[in-house]
Amino acid sequence: MFEEMLRALVARGIRFVVVGGVAATIHGSARYTNDLDICYATDPENLQRLVELLTEWKAYLRGVEPGLPFILDARTFSITPLLTLVTTHGDFDLLDRVPGVGGYDEALARSEEAQIGSVRFHTISLDALIDAKRAARRKKDMEHLIELEALRALRDA
Amino acid sequence: MLTLAEVAYLADAPPKWVLNTSAALGLADAYTLPLARRLYVMRLLQRATGCSLERAEALASRLLQGGDESNNSAVVSVALDDQGTLCMQLDVARMHSTFDARRSALHTTVAPRVRGRPRTRDHEPLEAARAWGLDLSLLASNLRRTPTERLRQLDAMADFRRRVTRPSATR
């Protein structure tokens, strides 16, 4: 599921950085996640590619009654900083900025390269992920933070 | 029923604005989805035109009358001053779509921030994890895998979850 989603994003030339639970997994988290979170570049070409992919994946708003008017175009991205979608390929969250880190450029600057199969992509670094969790300060982030900080201590030991 | 913070998120406005607007216009004091939608539209109109709260409320009432979300566009006129009137075309479908995107985010991702000051004293992360009840051996074993192996394991888990069925489950 995630490999397929990442492959499609890369194949389309979409500029993104993996953040959230999948990034935590890549850094060694034992928590399960069922959605892919990305921070995307907001230039018009990138947004258009995302729109095309999401249209193909029949993206719709997650947790909202079916059948409501949902307009998926580049403008939607510019006025909706956080899109939480369900798609034919799995749940997919798109952010234009990561709390505590910044937009795509800042996230990219604090990312590492990762690879699954032949797919190479950028994932946010463990330090940046910890900063993001600290900045978000939701209860679940605080719980996750304990695990991420333990992972960093184990990694650096 | 929603909380003040949730209504503020949906209306894309600070909680103080929600409180003041509700009080000033005598809007319903229960935080409901229709109220949040109305406040969202009012905020949108106010931002776009700088009209008064009363005017924004009247326009929002007109736009949301009947709850017809299939109406794709509406023309509303907003009085600017004594001299003239601005005619504005409003994309109602997009307005609802954006509001529903906020609802989706609220249901799935947005949650209240933890109260109180952030932790300032340094703590020992492994001690904190042990005290929390985390299985550190599991983390250590994950760290022995490559990032690719970790991602494949997650993928396999996701695939398993998708394929597994629970005949006895009611939903």
Side-chain angles (χ1 to χ4, degrees):
Chain A
M1 164 187 164
F2 295 116
E3 183 174 353
E4 211 178 309
M5 291 171 88
L6 290 164
R7 175 169 292 120
L9 284 161
V10 170
R12 296 270 177 152
I14 292 168
R15 297 193 298 133
F16 68 98
V17 175
V18 173
V19 297
V22 172
T25 296
I26 290 168
H27 292 300
S29 168
R31 282 171 169 247
Y32 175 75
T33 184
N34 61 354
D35 58 4
L36 176 66
D37 304 83
I38 64 160
C39 176
Y40 56 87
T42 54
D43 58 280
E45 295 79 21
N46 203 49
L47 294 185
Q48 193 48 44
R49 288 181 192 133
L50 269 172
V51 166
E52 283 164 13
L53 182 70
L54 291 172
T55 304
E56 206 172 279
W57 286 359
K58 298 180 175 29
Y60 187 69
L61 300 168
R62 199 155 82 241
V64 167
E65 313 87 295
L68 295 178
F70 172 52
I71 301 169
L72 183 59
D73 60 13
R75 269 179 68 198
T76 300
F77 283 95
S78 61
I79 52 179
T80 319
L82 168 61
L83 272 173
T84 49
L85 303 172
V86 57
T87 76
T88 48
H89 284 59
D91 292 351
F92 193 20
D93 294 353
L94 300 103
L95 300 84
D96 68 357
R97 58 189 301 108
V98 184
V101 177
Y104 170 77
D105 290 337
E106 289 81 14
L108 184 67
R110 298 188 65 190
S111 72
E112 297 165 7
E113 236 189 25
Q115 184 166 358
I116 182 162
S118 58
V119 187
R120 292 166 83 93
F121 57 93
H122 284 96
T123 186
I124 199 161
S125 71
L126 182 55
D127 288 344
L129 194 54
I130 288 171
D131 288 348
K133 294 287 175 189
R134 277 208 187 113
R137 283 182 60 74
R138 295 170 303 179
K139 199 176 173 201
K140 70 172 187 175
D141 294 314
M142 295 294 104
E143 291 168 6
H144 207 174
L145 195 54
I146 295 171
E147 187 195 37
L148 295 175
E149 287 179 335
L151 274 168
R152 182 164 62 181
L154 285 171
R155 183 196 67 183
D156 296 344
Chain B
M1 204 67 82
L2 303 168
T3 65
L4 170 62
E6 289 171 335
V7 170
Y9 177 80
L10 289 173
D12 196 11
K16 198 85 180 166
W17 184 88
V18 172
L19 281 172
N20 290 342
T21 303
S22 303
L25 300 178
L27 298 176
D29 51 5
Y31 294 130
T32 59
L33 196 58
L35 175 69
R37 195 181 288 270
R38 173 176 291 228
L39 290 171
Y40 171 74
V41 177
M42 287 171 62
R43 181 94 173 148
L44 206 65
L45 291 165
Q46 251 207 326
R47 272 190 194 154
T49 66
C51 68
S52 69
L53 268 181
E54 288 78 8
R55 185 73 182 136
E57 209 269 328
L59 289 168
S61 297
R62 225 179 79 197
L63 283 167
L64 298 173
Q65 217 166 24
D68 182 11
E69 294 181 10
S70 60
N71 180 12
N72 283 346
S73 66
V75 178
V76 291
S77 62
V78 183
L80 284 179
D81 50 29
D82 296 339
Q83 271 78 48
T85 302
L86 171 73
C87 204
M88 180 177 72
Q89 178 107 11
L90 191 71
D91 186 346
V92 178
R94 184 178 292 280
M95 183 184 79
H96 286 302
S97 173
T98 309
F99 180 81
D100 288 329
R102 297 187 76 80
R103 270 176 67 206
S104 170
L106 180 70
H107 287 316
T108 57
T109 306
V110 178
R113 287 160 65 92
V114 175
R115 288 169 180 238
R117 290 183 185 174
R119 196 181 55 208
T120 51
R121 199 173 45 175
D122 279 343
H123 66 291
E124 211 291 293
L126 296 181
E127 279 308 313
R130 264 187 218 104
W132 187 258
L134 278 187
D135 181 356
L136 291 179
S137 67
L138 195 58
L139 299 187
S141 114
N142 272 352
L143 286 179
R144 282 193 292 275
R145 295 190 172 97
T146 65
T148 302
E149 286 170 337
R150 294 172 205 151
L151 194 49
R152 282 213 194 283
Q153 190 183 33
L154 179 68
D155 232 358
M157 179 72 85
D159 188 46
F160 172 75
R161 273 188 60 150
R162 264 213 297 215
R163 284 187 295 114
V164 75
T165 54
R166 295 181 300 156
S168 59
T170 54
R171 57 179 192 152

